[in-house]
Amino acid sequence: MANPAQDPLRNPTDMANAIRALAMDAVQQANSGHPGAPMGMADIAVALWSRHLKHNPADPTWADRDRFVLSNGHGSMLIYALLHLTGYDLPIEELKAFRQLHSKTPGHPEVGITPGIETTTGPLGQGITNAVGMALAEKLLAAEFNRPGHDVVNHHTYAFLGDGCLMEGISHEACALAGAWKLNKLIALYDDNGISIDGQVAPWFIDDTPKRFEAYGWQVIGPVDGHDVDAIDAALTKAKRSTETPTLIVCKTAIGKGSPNRANTAKAHGEPLGPDEIKLTRESIGWTHAPFEIPESVYAAWDATVAGNEAQSGWDAKFALYRAAHPELATEFERRMAGVLPADFAETAVKAVAAAHDKAETVATRKASQIALEAFTAAVPELLGGSADLTGSNLTNTKSTLPVRFDAHGAAVAVDGQLGRHINYGVREFGMAAIMNGVALHGGYIPYGGTFLTFSDYSRNAIRMAALMKQRVVHVFTHDSIGLGEDGPTHQSVEHAASLRLIPGLDVWRPADTTETVVAWTMALANPRRPSALLLSRQNLPYLPKQDADDITKGAYVLAEPEEVGLKKKPQAVIIGTGSEVQLALHAQAALAKQGIAVRVVSMPSNTVFDRQSPEYKASVLPAGVPRIAVEAGVTDGWWKYGCAAVVGLDTYGESAPAGALFKLFGFTAENVADTVKVVLGRG
C-alpha cells in the first residue's frame, strides 16, 4: 500500500481546511456549538485519520477496527466532519442539521445515534477514561484469543483530549491505571491550546502535563507543532512502536486556527464565529467554496472506503485461517463480541436460584452476591470484575476470577493457564465506573465493579453515562444502609438508593435474601441494553420463604399473604419492603395477625423494574383500595408515588453505633412497623 503522506492527490492543507469550513458553517447555521477545537485540531485529524486509523466506513462495528474517542466532545463537528468526509453514512444534510431535533449530529457525540461514534462524550475526562477501558479490553482479549500466527485482536485506541479533560480529576485516575497496566496500544493526542471557556488557562492550570504523564509511566512525545501534519504523522508512527507504555502526544495548537480575530481566544471556543468572521476566515485560509460545499478532489483525498474494505477483507481472511485452526475459539470470540450470553446461561441461572432456595442461608446480601458470582463467573467467561480497593468488603472476587496482572513487559499474566478477570482499581470509584463503560463499549466483556453504596456519588456521572449509552455494566454497591453500623454517617447510605432510582435506564436492585440476589444478577446479565446497580447489605439477612422465584423478575411480588400467618381474611393493608427491611415487614405481619389484622407483605427488590410492569400486574400486587405502608432504611420521598399512606424511612443522617442500636433508634423495628400500620387503619 502506498504511503498516504506521499500521495500527490492528497493535499493536507485542503483536507484540514475542509474540516474547518464544515465546523464553522455548521455551528453558524445552528447558531450554537464549538468551532474552536475542530478548527484547531484539523491538522491532527488529517494525520491520524488519513494516515494511521484502521477503520471501515462501510462497517463501523468491525471487530478489529481501531477505536477513536473524541474526549473533548464539545468539538463534535470535528468527528462529524471526519465521518462525513471519509465515507460513513452521514450525508451533508446531517451536518446541515447539526444540533437539530432527530438529526444524526447531536450537540455532543452519542453512540448509537451516529455511525462511527464509539462512545458518548461531553462530560470532560470521561472520554479518555472510556478509551482506557477500550484499550484494556483489547489487551485482555488479545491475551485470551490470539494464538501464535493468529493475531485476530490487534488494534489501537486513539483519543483526542484537551485542557478540560486533563483538569478533571478522573483523567488522573484513569491515566495512572493505563500506565500501571502498560496499555501500549493507547495513544492520546493532547490539544494543547491553552484556552478554556474562561480564557487563557495559565492562571488556573499550571500542571506540567508531560512530566505528569511520564510519572504515570507513559511515553510522552512532543510538544510537536499541532499544525504540522508530517510532524504529527511521525509522532504517531513512533507511538505505535511502543511495546510497553501508552503514549501522550502533546500537540501545540491555536484554537480557532484560521480565524483572523478569534484564533487563540476564548471567543473561538463555544460560540459561532459570526458571518463577518467566517468571511474573513475563508479568505485567510483560501477556502473559496460556499457553505457545506466540498470539492470532489477533497472528498477523494479523504475517502477511506477502499482502504477500509481492504483492511477488513484482510482481517476476514486472517480470521478464516484462525477459524480453521481454532474453531472453538473463533466461535467463542464471535459470541463474545456479539454480546450474546452462553447458550446454557438460563440453565445456570435456574440452578443458582434453586441452590439458593434449597440452602436457605442466612447471609449478608453482599455474600449472597459472591455466591451468585461463583456460579456466573464460572459459566460466563466474559464477566470481568473488580473493586475500588474494597474487594474483601464488596466480595466481588471468585474462584474463577484471578487478579488481573501484567508483567514487566506489559504482557497479561496467566496462572496455570488462567488469565486474570478481577481488577484492583485502587481508590478510584469514578475512574472504575467510566473504565467499565469503555470495556463494555469495546465489546467482549461484561464489566462489574464494587464499592460502598455511599461512594456511588463519586461514580454517579459515569453511571448516568452508562444508562444514556445503554451499556451492560453492573455496579456492586455494598454496605447499603445504617446497617453497616459503626463507620457512621459518612459511610451510611440514606439518600443513595432513591437517588440512583432517579436515573432513567438504570435498573436498581436491593434484594432481601440469597434468592432475590441471584435473580438480580440474572436480570442484570440478561439485559444487554441496561446498566444495573445492586445494593447489598453488610449485615446478615435471613432467608425469606417463598413459593417460587419467577415473579421476583418483575421487580416486586407478593411474598406473604395473611393466610400464611393464620388469618383467612382479605388483606386490610399492604406492607412494601426492600432489602434488609423485608424481614421487619414479615415480623410485623405476624404480630398484627395476633391482633386480627390481616396484612399482605410485598417484597420490592427493584422499583425500577416493577415500574415497567403492566397495569394488571401492578394491581395484582398492590390492589386498589388497600392502604399501603412502605418500609426502607432510606429517604422516604420515592415511596409516595405508590400511593402509600405512610412510610417508615429515614430522612436524616445516621449515627456511629452498632447496627442493632441504630435500627432501634430510627424506628426500624417490627413493633414500629406494626404500630404504623395500626395508625393508618385507625387502630393506633
Side-chain angles (χ1 to χ4, degrees):
M1 183 181 294
N3 183 351
Q6 298 173 348
D7 187 345
L9 298 179
R10 286 188 167 185
N11 183 322
T13 300
D14 288 346
M15 295 170 73
N17 284 340
I19 293 173
R20 294 185 175 104
L22 287 171
M24 64 183 182
D25 290 339
V27 171
Q28 186 64 41
Q29 178 147 311
N31 196 29
S32 173
H34 302 74
M39 296 173 73
M41 297 193 77
D43 303 294
I44 305 172
V46 171
L48 175 61
W49 277 68
S50 72
R51 301 184 183 182
H52 293 274
L53 191 71
K54 181 176 67 173
H55 65 119
N56 185 6
D59 186 0
T61 62
W62 165 36
D64 202 44
R65 68 193 182 279
D66 289 339
R67 269 56 169 184
F68 173 77
V69 174
L70 184 69
S71 190
N72 44 344
H74 54 270
S76 56
M77 265 311 303
L78 175 62
I79 194 166
Y80 297 151
L82 288 165
L83 294 170
H84 169 71
L85 291 167
T86 54
Y88 285 78
D89 183 18
L90 194 68
I92 197 69
E93 289 74 21
E94 293 291 348
L95 274 64
K96 293 178 180 178
F98 178 53
R99 290 184 162 231
Q100 303 308 299
L101 185 64
H102 302 317
S103 77
K104 292 183 179 180
T105 50
H108 291 80
E110 295 185 38
V111 67
I113 300 295
T114 314
I117 298 297
E118 300 284 2
T119 180
T120 300
T121 55
L124 294 175
Q126 288 197 60
I128 180 61
T129 309
N130 295 164
V132 170
M134 293 174 187
L136 175 64
E138 191 275 345
K139 188 162 197 164
L140 294 176
L141 282 170
E144 185 175 354
F145 285 98
N146 288 352
R147 292 296 182 269
H150 299 281
D151 289 339
V152 293
V153 181
N154 184 16
H155 54 267
H156 285 81
T157 300
Y158 297 95
F160 284 1
L161 70 160
D163 292 312
C165 291
L166 294 175
M167 288 186 236
E168 289 285 0
I170 191 175
S171 69
H172 164 67
E173 297 182 22
C175 293
L177 283 169
W181 294 335
K182 300 182 184 298
L183 301 180
N184 60 296
K185 291 183 182 176
L186 173 63
I187 300 173
L189 295 103
Y190 167 32
D191 180 26
D192 186 7
N193 62 37
I195 296 290
S196 67
I197 291 175
D198 280 355
Q200 294 282 345
V201 300
W204 55 83
F205 186 46
I206 63 170
D207 300 24
D208 187 329
T209 297
K211 288 184 179 178
R212 170 183 162 187
F213 275 75
E214 287 171 357
Y216 294 151
W218 287 51
Q219 171 184 224
V220 177
I221 300 174
V224 301
D225 182 350
H227 302 300
D228 184 336
V229 173
D230 290 336
I232 302 160
D233 178 20
L236 285 163
T237 299
K238 179 179 179 181
K240 288 164 68 177
R241 288 198 292 263
S242 174
T243 59
E244 296 181 8
T245 64
T247 299
L248 178 74
I249 302 174
V250 180
C251 304
K252 286 287 187 180
T253 65
I255 191 171
K257 170 74 171 175
S259 172
N261 299 302
R262 297 288 186 90
N264 284 318
T265 73
K267 293 287 285 183
H269 177 90
E271 62 185 70
L273 298 182
D276 293 340
E277 188 65 16
I278 287 177
K279 182 175 183 296
L280 291 173
T281 303
R282 276 184 151 75
E283 294 171 356
S284 172
I285 65 177
W287 190 262
T288 60
H289 312 288
F292 300 104
E293 181 181 302
I294 305 296
E296 287 303 319
S297 60
V298 175
Y299 274 127
W302 269 115
D303 188 4
T305 55
V306 173
N309 281 322
E310 288 178 354
Q312 185 168 353
S313 295
W315 183 83
D316 288 344
K318 288 172 60 176
F319 195 79
L321 294 173
Y322 178 72
R323 185 189 301 280
H326 306 284
E328 292 183 0
L329 278 176
T331 299
E332 177 70 358
F333 177 78
E334 290 177 321
R335 179 191 71 77
R336 295 263 294 268
M337 292 305 293
V340 177
L341 291 171
D344 60 354
F345 174 77
E347 181 183 355
T348 299
V350 168
K351 288 181 178 178
V353 169
H357 179 73
D358 292 344
K359 292 179 181 178
E361 293 177 284
T362 294
V363 294
T365 50
R366 61 175 175 150
K367 181 61 179 178
S369 170
Q370 187 180 47
I371 293 168
L373 278 172
E374 288 288 359
F376 287 125
T377 55
V380 185
E382 57 264 43
L383 277 171
L384 182 64
S387 172
D389 203 46
L390 289 168
T391 301
S393 294
N394 302 147
L395 304 181
T396 45
N397 58 329
T398 69
K399 296 182 181 68
S400 301
T401 56
L402 299 177
V404 172
R405 294 290 185 268
F406 300 97
D407 66 22
H409 300 292
V413 174
V415 177
D416 296 329
Q418 185 176 348
L419 291 164
R421 288 168 52 202
H422 188 274
I423 300 168
N424 300 103
Y425 286 97
V427 188
R428 299 181 178 98
E429 295 87 357
F430 193 6
M432 175 179 70
I435 286 171
M436 290 197 297
N437 288 350
V439 169
L441 287 158
H442 180 279
Y445 291 104
I446 300 172
Y448 69 91
T451 187
F452 290 169
L453 178 56
T454 191
F455 300 143
S456 64
D457 285 339
Y458 286 131
S459 307
R460 185 177 181 84
N461 200 257
I463 298 170
R464 181 179 187 271
M465 293 301 291
L468 179 61
M469 296 188 288
K470 300 179 173 64
Q471 294 301 304
R472 180 166 44 188
V473 177
V474 184
H475 293 270
V476 179
F477 292 130
T478 67
H479 297 60
D480 69 342
S481 73
I482 57 172
L484 69 86
E486 291 86 347
D487 275 344
T490 59
H491 285 51
Q492 293 165 356
S493 293
V494 174
E495 76 278 20
H496 296 85
S499 177
L500 288 169
R501 290 168 184 150
L502 293 175
I503 298 177
L506 174 69
D507 276 347
V508 180
W509 291 86
R510 189 168 182 252
D513 66 4
T514 52
T515 298
E516 288 190 2
T517 305
V518 173
V519 172
W521 267 109
T522 301
M523 297 293 286
L525 298 178
N527 195 328
R529 301 282 287 169
R530 281 179 179 269
S532 298
L534 277 57
L535 282 47
L536 308 171
S537 73
R538 175 182 186 249
Q539 73 275 25
N540 287 345
L541 302 181
Y543 184 77
L544 309 176
K546 53 185 71 65
Q547 295 299 317
D548 61 58
D550 291 346
D551 284 344
I552 300 174
T553 64
K554 298 175 183 176
Y557 64 102
V558 177
L559 176 63
E561 293 283 23
E563 301 90 75
E564 294 173 55
V565 286
L567 276 185
K568 294 184 178 181
K569 296 169 59 177
K570 288 185 177 181
Q572 296 164 266
V574 176
I575 304 176
I576 310 167
T578 77
S580 52
E581 288 70 68
V582 176
Q583 61 177 312
L584 301 182
L586 289 174
H587 289 310
Q589 179 196 41
L592 290 165
K594 293 177 181 178
Q595 302 172 51
I597 300 173
V599 170
R600 168 185 286 186
V601 173
V602 168
S603 179
M604 191 178 287
S606 180
N607 308 52
T608 51
V609 172
F610 180 68
D611 289 350
R612 297 199 300 273
Q613 302 308 310
S614 68
E616 293 77 16
Y617 181 75
K618 292 178 184 177
S620 73
V621 175
L622 302 176
V626 181
R628 303 161 189 174
I629 298 88
V631 54
E632 182 175 57
V635 295
T636 60
D637 277 0
W639 289 101
W640 302 110
K641 69 178 181 179
Y642 297 108
C644 292
V647 180
V648 178
L650 183 60
D651 289 317
T652 66
Y653 294 111
E655 299 279 354
S656 177
L662 292 172
F663 279 119
K664 184 175 181 180
L665 173 68
F666 290 110
F668 292 101
T669 63
E671 292 78 12
N672 186 48
V673 174
D675 288 345
T676 302
V677 172
K678 289 194 289 183
V679 169
V680 167
L681 295 177
R683 305 266 298 265

